[in-house]
Amino acid sequence: MIDPLFWLGLSLLLVATSLTAVLVAALPALQELARAARSAEKLFDTLSRDLPPTLEAIRVTGLEITDLTDDVSESVKSASQVAKQVDQSLDSARKQAQNLQVGTRSIFVGAKAAWRNFTRQKPTKRNNDRLLSNEQPLTLREREMLRPENRRIKTEVYRANDGYNDAANWETNFDDED
C-alpha cells in the first residue's frame, strides 16, 4: 500500500478544500444573516422605544375603562334610587290627593249643608210651643197636639166629633160618607 502519509496529506487537503468550499458557500448566507441581525436589532430598538409607552397607554386605558365602569354602575344605582324616590313620592302624592279629595268632599258637603241651612225658610216663632216660667209643664199628649203635623184643621175636628159623639147617627154618617 501506499504510504500512509500520502493518505493523511490527501485527506487533510480534501478537508481543507471542503472547508474552503463551505466557507465560500456560507459567506453570502452569513452576510444575509448579519443583515437580518442588524434589522432585528433595529426592530428591537424601535420596539423598546415604542412598546413601553403603548403598553402604558393600554394600561391607562384599561384603568380608565374600569373607572368608567364603576361610574356607570354608581350612576345606575343612583338612578335606581331616584326611581325609587320618585315612586315613593308618587305614592305619597296619590295618598295626599286622596286625602285632599276626602277633605274637599267634606268641605263641599259642609258648605252645601251650611247653604241649605242658611237658605231654608225660618219657621215662625210660636209662643204657645214654649213654656213660660209660671205655666205648668205640658203632658205628652198636649205637646203632641201642639206639633204642626199633628194639628187638625177645624173641619176634621168637627167631623171626628160628630161621628163619635152622636151614637145614634153613626150608621147614617157612615152611609153618607160612602
Side-chain angles (χ1 to χ4, degrees):
M1 287 214 116
I2 310 183
D3 197 7
L5 213 42
F6 171 75
W7 290 110
L8 180 65
L10 185 63
S11 58
L12 282 176
L13 182 68
L14 284 174
V15 168
T17 309
S18 305
L19 282 177
T20 305
V22 167
L23 204 79
V24 169
L27 265 177
L30 289 175
Q31 286 175 349
E32 286 299 319
L33 190 60
R35 198 175 306 142
R38 280 192 300 269
S39 294
E41 186 179 352
K42 287 180 183 178
L43 175 67
F44 292 143
D45 284 343
T46 304
L47 286 177
S48 67
R49 272 185 282 130
D50 294 341
L51 194 59
T54 305
L55 292 176
E56 181 66 22
I58 290 172
R59 187 181 66 82
V60 168
T61 304
L63 291 175
E64 289 175 352
I65 289 174
T66 303
D67 290 342
L68 288 174
T69 304
D70 292 340
D71 290 344
V72 167
S73 66
E74 288 176 12
S75 299
V76 167
K77 285 180 184 177
S78 70
S80 128
Q81 290 174 350
V82 166
K84 286 179 184 177
Q85 288 175 351
V86 166
D87 189 37
Q88 289 173 352
S89 347
L90 287 175
D91 287 342
S92 67
R94 187 178 306 120
K95 288 178 184 177
Q96 288 175 355
Q98 289 172 349
N99 290 341
L100 180 67
Q101 184 180 14
V102 168
T104 305
R105 190 176 302 142
S106 299
I107 288 172
F108 281 133
V109 168
K112 188 176 179 182
W115 181 255
R116 282 185 186 165
N117 192 19
F118 181 71
T119 58
R120 75 176 179 161
Q121 291 181 348
K122 306 275 191 238
T124 59
K125 293 184 180 181
R126 292 172 288 181
N127 291 332
N128 59 358
D129 285 346
R130 298 189 182 172
L131 290 176
L132 297 174
S133 61
N134 58 2
E135 291 183 7
Q136 300 224 348
L138 297 174
T139 65
L140 180 62
R141 182 174 294 233
E142 291 170 339
R143 277 185 278 168
E144 288 293 321
M145 290 300 293
L146 290 177
R147 289 191 179 172
E149 63 267 9
N150 292 334
R151 291 186 186 169
R152 295 183 183 167
I153 57 175
K154 289 185 180 183
T155 57
E156 290 176 348
V157 172
Y158 292 132
R159 186 181 300 152
N161 288 337
D162 286 341
Y164 291 113
N165 289 335
D166 196 8
N169 294 332
W170 73 274
E171 289 178 341
T172 58
N173 287 341
F174 184 73
D175 291 336
D176 290 343
E177 289 179 7
D178 284 341

